Amino acid sequence: MWNKTDLESIRKRIAQLEPDMIEMQRRLVALPAISPVSGGEGEKVRAEYLAGLLQSWGLEVTEYRAPDQRAPCGYRPSLTARLKGRTTHPTLWLMTHLDIVPPGPIELWQSDPYQARVENGRVYGRGTEDNQQEMAASCYAVRALLDLGLTPGTDVVLMLVADEENGSDYGVGWLLENHDLCRPLDLVVVPDAGNEAGTLLEVAEKSIAWVKFTTIGRQAHASTPHHGNNAHRAGARLLVQLDRRLHERYNAEDRLFSPPVSTLEPTKKEANVPNVNTIPAEDVFYFDCRMLPQYELTGLLEDMKGIAQGLAQESGVEVKVEPVQMAQAAPPTSPEAPVVMRLADAVREVYGGEPFTRGIGGGTVAAFFRRRGIPAVVWGRNDGQAHRPNEYSVIANMVGNAVVYAHLMG
Ligand SMILES: [Zn+2]
């Protein structure tokens, strides 16, 4: 742990480094790193710039290349940059992602998304908040320690990864699968989400199940329904039965999550017949379910099939139940895990406010660590600008978050 004097000099040094952080943002904005699946060339140019910079600071930089023939260079680079601490165990990992999403319709932007614009305490440009704000903040937290000649309590590794925006198969997923990097007792912080006050520490996520239901009956004229079998009516009945019975069965509550229950929502409905006077032979609808991690998705799917089977017998239709996406949640990070407690302390110290832990309904890259038994926490103080047109980073957040990261390194 840093003492009061150390903390004061860290805070001061980071404030002095603000122009350098803005300069890093400027450079990164001008070096877009877009996945080949989104029409880009990957992260090569950006990784080269960062590797050069971090090496010039004296950090031990390693580049990892995930083979990807869709990228012109044939690989997707990820970097680690290590600052030696007084001990190696546990190592503190700060993971940010190199890639950005495309800017979307250009007419929605007030200025060039690939040219940083600094205005009213903000830096505008694609990627400035997601995830460059935290990349600059974590890099300059390390830089401040180097400038002050302070040795962190434990090894600190900046992990700059590819492919976060498209599933991480060429980023952290590949990295953890192919290289022995993190250990279960390490501290992993993924600064890639959060809230405006910086008080939200994300430690858990729900499982996701998207399921397609198709009912197949027999087509007929609407005036002679006895010649057909109405797939739409059967589908409607099935939907109501699923809604009632699944909610009865999957009714557990967990206060860690908001909302604290599993959500099971009928969402998409495909068009059936184009005219009013035909009885449809086929009807299709979908459920989007976000389940508390205690439930196994295989069991949920079995229950859905059971309900569908009952309906099929009752209505004389055929029913198909097909998973569209099934992602079982990783085990949650304990709200009492050391990385969570230390981050909460740092946030309290730097920003005031009372941090709270929460589970969310969607997946995050922290799951790659959690599945390996490595507690990971997702955090950030930000304005929720990810993927928006006219994306910006609040400079005060970038600077403040750097102080939080430096705090953690003590
Ligand atoms: Zn992100």
Side-chain angles (χ1 to χ4, degrees):
M1 294 298 260
W2 306 120
N3 61 38
K4 276 249 170 303
T5 330
D6 292 339
L7 281 173
E8 217 20 72
S9 13
I10 288 171
R11 205 186 268 271
K12 253 171 82 185
R13 183 61 197 142
I14 288 176
Q16 291 164 349
L17 289 167
E18 181 183 307
D20 303 66
M21 282 189 244
I22 296 170
E23 182 54 26
M24 179 184 264
Q25 281 273 27
R26 233 182 246 292
R27 293 289 304 268
L28 291 172
V29 168
L31 296 172
I34 294 176
S35 163
V37 287
S38 304
E41 299 196 341
E43 300 82 358
K44 177 175 183 273
V45 187
R46 183 174 278 211
E48 278 168 2
Y49 155 65
L50 287 161
L53 182 73
L54 297 174
Q55 233 148 24
S56 77
W57 293 359
L59 298 177
E60 186 188 312
V61 178
T62 311
E63 189 191 58
Y64 301 87
R65 297 179 169 181
D68 183 359
Q69 290 319 314
R70 302 166 308 171
C73 61
Y75 65 86
R76 309 286 295 281
S78 292
L79 303 173
T80 57
R82 183 180 293 265
L83 174 64
K84 286 257 171 242
R86 286 193 297 274
T87 63
T88 309
H89 302 295
T91 295
L92 170 66
W93 300 81
L94 289 167
M95 189 185 92
T96 51
H97 62 87
L98 293 162
D99 57 323
I100 59 166
V101 292
I106 211 76
E107 61 275 14
L108 296 178
W109 286 79
Q110 273 148 24
S111 56
D112 186 345
Y114 298 134
Q115 211 181 332
R117 173 167 61 94
V118 179
E119 209 177 288
N120 298 326
R122 296 167 171 179
V123 191
Y124 287 84
R126 175 51 89 225
T128 47
E129 196 185 70
D130 180 20
N131 198 209
Q132 292 156 206
Q133 170 178 302
E134 310 306 335
M135 188 172 280
S138 51
C139 288
Y140 279 91
V142 166
R143 179 66 209 240
L145 301 192
L146 290 167
D147 291 351
L148 296 166
L150 291 172
T151 305
T154 179
D155 274 17
V156 175
V157 184
L158 303 170
M159 198 174 181
L160 316 179
V161 298
D163 198 36
E164 190 276 340
E165 299 290 0
N166 289 283
S168 297
D169 285 350
Y170 302 89
V172 68
W174 175 86
L175 208 53
L176 295 183
E177 197 60 46
N178 292 279
H179 296 274
D180 189 20
L181 292 176
C182 311
R183 296 185 183 85
L185 292 176
D186 283 350
L187 311 167
V188 178
V189 179
V190 181
D192 195 25
N195 62 2
E196 281 184 35
T199 44
L200 167 63
L201 311 187
E202 189 269 303
V203 292
E205 56 196 44
K206 290 177 181 172
S207 302
I208 301 176
W210 291 356
V211 185
K212 178 184 183 184
F213 297 89
T214 309
T215 49
I216 301 157
R218 200 166 56 252
Q219 188 172 315
H221 193 284
S223 65
T224 55
H226 50 285
H227 290 315
N229 192 350
N230 196 327
H232 185 32
R233 178 183 286 114
R237 281 189 174 146
L238 175 59
L239 189 151
V240 171
Q241 285 188 18
L242 287 166
D243 196 27
R244 182 172 51 78
R245 291 173 57 183
L246 295 174
H247 276 103
E248 275 167 13
R249 173 142 202 179
Y250 294 95
N251 61 357
E253 286 195 27
D254 185 342
R255 291 274 139 210
L256 185 59
F257 290 88
S258 170
V261 290
S262 301
T263 58
L264 301 113
E265 291 297 302
T267 51
K268 183 174 168 179
K269 173 79 187 69
E270 283 183 11
N272 45 38
V273 289
N275 54 313
V276 179
N277 56 354
T278 292
I279 284 179
E282 189 173 296
D283 198 71
V284 179
F285 66 89
Y286 298 78
F287 262 69
D288 177 329
C289 308
R290 309 292 168 118
M291 308 300 291
L292 293 178
Q294 67 198 85
Y295 294 124
E296 287 294 329
L297 294 184
T298 45
L300 172 69
L301 193 64
E302 279 317 303
D303 284 343
M304 288 172 163
K305 284 182 175 163
I307 296 168
Q309 231 24 64
L311 187 280
Q313 272 161 21
E314 187 184 305
S315 308
V317 295
E318 189 192 330
V319 186
K320 285 197 280 190
V321 180
E322 297 161 286
V324 177
Q325 188 197 168
M326 300 292 262
Q328 185 75 41
T333 291
S334 161
E336 274 92 48
V339 66
V340 180
M341 310 287 266
R342 284 179 57 169
L343 182 57
D345 281 347
V347 168
R348 229 177 261 121
E349 183 82 24
V350 176
Y351 284 127
E354 190 45 39
F356 59 95
T357 48
R358 220 359 92 74
I360 58 164
T364 71
V365 281
F368 289 95
F369 296 96
R370 292 179 186 147
R371 285 202 186 96
R372 289 168 181 276
I374 304 163
V377 56
V378 181
W379 177 81
R381 175 168 159 130
N382 62 55
D383 268 15
Q385 288 294 306
H387 303 200
R388 292 194 188 181
N390 302 301
E391 177 180 354
Y392 63 80
S393 156
V394 174
I395 294 168
N397 285 343
M398 183 164 62
V399 174
N401 291 357
V403 180
V404 171
Y405 304 138
H407 207 289
L408 275 176
M409 294 168 191

